[in-house]
Amino acid sequence: MGTDLIRLTAAEMAAVIASGETSAVEVTRAHLDRIAAVDARVHAFLQVDTEGALAAARSVDERRAAGELLGPLAGVPIAVKDVFTTKGLPTTCGSRILEGWRPPYDATVVRRLRDAGMVILGKTNMDEFAMGSSTENSAYGPTRNPWNLDRIPGGSSGGSSAAVASYQAPLGIGTDTGGSIRQPAAVCGIVGGKPTYGGVSRYGLVAFASSLDQAGPFARTVLDAALLHAAIAGHDPADTTSIDAPVPSVVEAARGADVAGLRVGVVKELGGEGYQPGVLRRFAEAIELLDSLGAKVTEVSCPHFGYALPAYYLIAPSECSSNLARFDAMRYGLRTGDDGTSSAEEVMAVTRAAGFGAEVKRRIMLGTYALSSGYYDAYYGSAQKVRTLISRDFQAAFEQVDVLVSPTTPTTAFPIGERVDDPMAMYLADLCTIPSNLAGNAALSLPCGLAPEDNLPVGLQVMAPVLGDDRPYRVAAALEAGYADRWGHPLLEEAPAL
Amino acid sequence: MAITRDEVAHLARLSRLALGDDELDHLAPQLDVIISSVARVQEVAAEDIPPTSHSVPLTNVFRPDERQPCLAPDEALAGAPAVEDGRFRVPRILEEE
């Protein structure tokens, strides 16, 4: 029973728990057993909260027994990226500087998961402070791709994507600042959504680049991702950038799965040279499938997308250099070098040098440079103008089409270690995903097959206007159904057994 | 060259990062490559284009000025590296005479 339980979708798990066929405790135990069996090899989790998970599951079972009406995901386990504060449960952001820190409060996302009766299994590995595309920048060692343990699981939310792809959890929470949900989803062969900026509260999400950071769902099916999206989205007064508008009807869209007459634009600038042939091949097939399902596919040009990557690597580091100033060795986190004679400033500098890894240091210094007087206009100022140009490209495109599509990332999962000391090569992994962060619009990645040259998953990205979050779910659900007809089984079933 | 090793050392000081020589030797050429590459944004950043700091326009988000529950002092101090008399204990913050 245990093995079967973990392979259900989240919606199916919720249904068998609600019907009394099984209990939330049993479902939770099955996942804890799976974690114990495989995570020594995958290393998706930094912290497994066995006691807390079982207590949450018991509470769901008791409330159900008492006749309480529970939400659509009650009793379903979930893996949460270690960038969200969890009251009393260690939160490290993959950094030594926060080792052992137990936050005094829950992030709004975490609070909403608990309120939905969901069972938090633990906290997942990530690139330090969400800076990276491979999860290799974690101070606690890399996570491995369940499809091939020598490959990266993507990043920065690689722990959550690997956990979901390896059946350690049916659902995961990630954050996406430049692609950190969509790219790991793509390379792990699962679904990952980046909601419209401000669609999900950032309260308790440890900030990297505040104008770009956005939390979102990982799942093995489009409907599961939509159910999770709906559970965490919506206005939160504790986050001043949270949008005070109704949550787009993503669940309905995922159940709709109809693209007849939908106008789909292929972004001319996201493809071609520098992309892995197998990625382009699966992307072309996805376009054909959309066409066969009745969508009207055209090519659309977004002429400034080529400047999105350089603009991002000025804006994100600038915001990071400011946000990470809070790690000052004074109020929480690591403090080293406090020998009774050193000044606070010296202790601060020694602690930050010891507590941050190489990529975080690179970005803090890059941001400090971009914001310094004399360079501000040339770098940060110019990047902000590019951001305007990217938004204008999207606006013009969405006057012609309903959604835009591209490969999610130019390659499949690359080998662990390959790009770790070549920052520019690593940054290219986010080439296709960054424009949606700069413009704040909704986007999602779904699996569209395996690249023939390496048998690793390829992701298709669907982008929609701000607050048009329902559209990517509609397109993704239609494609998912189309692929199910073609393949006869979910893509993940082709992954080697762990 | 976009940035020299001395400038990188200065950035490290501004960033409150006490980096050793080895780390500076490693980081300086990497930052040079990155800065040279991202400088491309200047190609299209014409004068008449307004900057965007935030993708979804919002102005003056206020809440009522009402008392709300907040962390108790012991909760706020629970993660502190050092505590004394219910306060954060910090290294000396003034230069010695």
Side-chain angles (χ1 to χ4, degrees), chain B residues 13-67:
Chain B
R13 282 192 295 277
L14 289 176
S15 307
R16 301 292 183 269
L17 291 165
L19 302 185
D21 282 342
D22 286 358
E23 249 182 315
L24 283 173
D25 289 342
H26 194 70
L27 280 168
Q30 290 179 335
L31 286 175
D32 184 52
V33 169
I34 298 169
I35 290 167
S36 305
S37 168
V38 297
R40 285 205 304 125
V41 292
Q42 294 162 36
E43 292 170 13
V44 289
E47 201 138 304
D48 60 338
I49 300 163
T52 298
S53 60
H54 196 274
S55 57
V56 181
L58 289 167
T59 42
N60 298 344
V61 178
F62 294 126
R63 62 165 173 81
D65 187 17
E66 287 164 0
R67 281 172 61 167

Side-chain angles (χ1 to χ4, degrees), chain A residues 87 101 104-105 196-197 210-211 240-243 304 306-307 309-311 313-315 319 329-335 338 341-350 352-353 356 358 361-362 364-366 368-369 372 375 378-389 391-392 421-424 427 437-440 466, chain B residues 2-4 7-20 23-24 26-28 30-58 60-63 68 71-72 74-83 88-96:
Chain A
K87 190 172 181 178
W101 181 55
Y105 70 105
T196 294
Y197 178 85
S210 306
S211 81
T240 54
T241 59
S242 162
I243 296 174
H304 299 98
Y307 293 93
L309 189 80
Y313 278 100
L314 287 162
I315 291 168
E319 295 189 15
M330 299 299 138
R331 294 155 299 160
Y332 53 93
L334 184 70
R335 178 187 289 179
D338 186 9
T341 59
S342 297
S343 69
E345 192 178 317
E346 286 162 345
V347 169
M348 202 181 291
V350 169
R352 287 162 61 83
F356 290 140
K361 288 173 185 168
R362 273 193 287 267
I364 289 174
M365 290 166 70
L366 186 58
T368 303
Y369 177 78
S372 53
Y375 297 110
Y379 291 99
Y380 185 67
S382 296
Q384 286 190 306
K385 289 182 173 189
V386 169
R387 197 167 179 181
T388 304
L389 295 171
S391 290
R392 287 180 183 172
D421 212 27
D422 185 353
M424 287 311 298
Y427 297 171
N437 297 93
L438 292 174
V466 165
Chain B
I3 188 164
T4 65
E7 287 172 310
V8 173
H10 178 62
L11 281 180
R13 282 192 295 277
L14 289 176
S15 307
R16 301 292 183 269
L17 291 165
L19 302 185
E23 249 182 315
L24 283 173
H26 194 70
L27 280 168
Q30 290 179 335
L31 286 175
D32 184 52
V33 169
I34 298 169
I35 290 167
S36 305
S37 168
V38 297
R40 285 205 304 125
V41 292
Q42 294 162 36
E43 292 170 13
V44 289
E47 201 138 304
D48 60 338
I49 300 163
T52 298
S53 60
H54 196 274
S55 57
V56 181
L58 289 167
N60 298 344
V61 178
F62 294 126
R63 62 165 173 81
Q68 292 179 5
L71 294 179
D74 60 323
E75 290 174 310
L77 290 167
V83 174
F88 295 102
R89 187 179 186 284
V90 302
R92 70 181 166 80
I93 54 173
L94 300 173
E95 291 304 314
E96 280 174 294

